[in-house]
Amino acid sequence: MENDKEIIGSQKQQIAKLFEESLRAAFPDIPDVQPLVAICNDPKHGDYQCNNAMSLWNKIKGKGTQFKGPQPVGKAIIENLPASEMIENCSIAGPGFVNIVLARQWIAKSLQKMLIDGIEIWAPKLPVKRTVVDFSSPNIAKEMHVGHLRSTIIGDTLARMLEFSNVDVLRRNHVGDWGTQFGMLIEFLYEKFPNWEACSAPAIGDLEVFYKASKQRFDNDAEFKERAQKAVVSLQGGDEKYRMAWAQICEISRKEFQKVYERLGVHLEEKGESFYNPYIPKALEMLNEKGLIEESEGARVIFIEGKKIPLIVVKRDGGFNYASTDLTALWYRLNEEKVDWMIYVTDVGQREHFEMVFSAAKRAGWLPPNENDYPKASHVGFGLVLGEDGKRFRTRSTEVVKLVDLLDDAKKRCKAALEERGKTKDWTAEELEQTAEAVGYGAVKYADLKNNRLTNYTFNFDQMLSDKGNTAVYLLYAHARICSIIRKSGKDIEELKKSAAIDLAHPDERMLGLHLLQFAEIVEDACTNLSPHLVCEYLYNISEDFTKFYTNCQVVGSAEETSRLLLCEATAVVMRKCFHLLGITPVYKI
C-alpha cells in the first residue's frame, strides 16, 4: 500500500480521540480515563454515545467537587469537546449519556475519500504485529471431514481479517503427520507391496480404504500390531527406508487435501507435528528446570490448578503426545517466530486441552499471567455440523461426508438453478461455470460463518442456496443488482469519483452512509473477539439498508443521480470487501 494514504482506522476510534481530549480537559485530576464510546442502540437519540458520565461521577462525588450529579458531568464533557467537522451536535440523555449526531457533510466526505483512496484506509488498527492462525489441521491418511471444513473456513476468515488489518499472519496447517498410526500404515505398505519403491505410480491408491484395511489388521492381529509398533520406533529413529515410506504416504494425503483447499481458495503453510518433534526434548527440559514436570503412574505430567486430570507430556512408554507437541509448538512460535498472538481454530471438544496447555505455558513464564496481555494464546472453538436428523452430519451409509463431494454438489446445484433460470442463453459456458462456483462455494462458507461459531448448525442445501433471507445467494445477488444499476446509468463511475460529490439529504441515504462508515469498527470487533459472524451480520444489514434506500430514493434519472450512483458504488465496494474477508467471490451480474 502506498505510504501517502494514511490509514484512518475506525470512526469509533476517531470519535473516541475527540472525547479523550475533552475528558482530559474537563477532569485533569483523574488520570487515564478511557472514553467509552458506543453505537447508539436507538437511532432516534443519535449515532453514537459517550458513556463516561456515570463512572466519573462515582469517582468524584463526595470529594468536594463542584458537580451536582452525572448530568452536569456529561455537560462538562460536551463543553470541553474540541471543535470538529465530524460532529453536528451533542445532547444529554438520562443519567449523563452524551448522544452524538455526526455531521452529514462529514459522512459524505469520508465516503468520497474512501472511494478515491480505496477501502484499505478503513483498515482497523490492532495492537498486534504478528499472529499465527493454526487452522484446518487434518490428519494424514484420513479423509477431511465436515469438522475440518469448519476449521478451514473460520481460520481462513480470521486470517483474512487480520491481514486486512495489516497484521503479519502465519497461516499454519498443523497436520497430524507423526505418531503411532504411521507404524501401522508403513508396515501394511511393505506387506501389501514389498517392492513399492520400484513402482512409478503410488502403490496405495485410495488412501482412505488403505487406512481402514491397515487399522483392521492392527486391531485384529497381535503379531502385526507388534511389528507396527517397532516400525514407529524405526521411523522416529530416522531409519531411511521408513522415512521414505512415511514421506510417500504424506504426499498422497497432501494431494487429497489440496483438492479441498483449491475449491475453497484457501492457502496454508504446512508445519506438521513432525516439524516440532526435534524441539520437544529441549522444551520439556525447560519445563522440567522450572519444576513443572512430575512423575505420575509411570508417566511424566504437569498438574494444572483446577483440573482433575494432569497434562501428560511423556507417556508411560516414553513416547510424546499432543500435549508435548503443542507445548513445543507454542514455545517455538513465541521464541523462533516472534509471534504476539497465537490463534488455534479447533472444535469445542478440544477447549480443555488448550486451556491446560496455555496454563502450563503461563506457569512456565512463556505467556503472561493476565489473559489480555500480549503475547497471548486464544482457542477459537466451534460447534458441530448436524444433519437434518439433528445428529452429526453423515452420508446415508453413515460415513463421514467427503468434503470434495460436498463442495462439488453445491456447485452442481447452483449450476442447475442458473440453467433453470435460462442463463444458458445469455451467458458463455465459462460465465455459467464461474458463477455456479462462486455462489455454490460461497453459500457453504456463509452458512457456516453467519452463526456464532460456538453453536452447532444444521447443514441444509436448500436453505443455503435459497435466494431469500440471510444467505450468500441473496447477498451476492444484491451486490450484482447494485452493479447493474451503475451499468444501466451509462455513467463512468471512475470519472464521477473525481468530479462529483455525495450529498446525503434523504434520511435513508444518510442511514446507509453512516452504516457504511461503521465497516472498520465491525471488522475490528470481529478480529478482537475472533467472531466472523459479526461481518456476516453487518453485510446482511448493509444490503437491507441499501434496499430501503433504493426503494425510497430513485437513482437513475433523478436530480440526485450522480450523488446516488456514488453511494451505490460505496455500498458495492464495502460489500465486496466483506465478501473478500469471508473468502467469497463476488458476482457482478445475475
Side-chain angles (χ1 to χ4, degrees), residues 24 44 140 288 299 405 411 418-419:
R24 261 207 307 270
K44 283 203 299 284
I140 293 286
N288 198 30
D405 299 346
K411 178 180 167 182
L418 289 165
E419 285 167 348

Side-chain angles (χ1 to χ4, degrees), residues 307 412 512:
K307 304 284 180 194
K412 205 159 64 205
L512 175 59

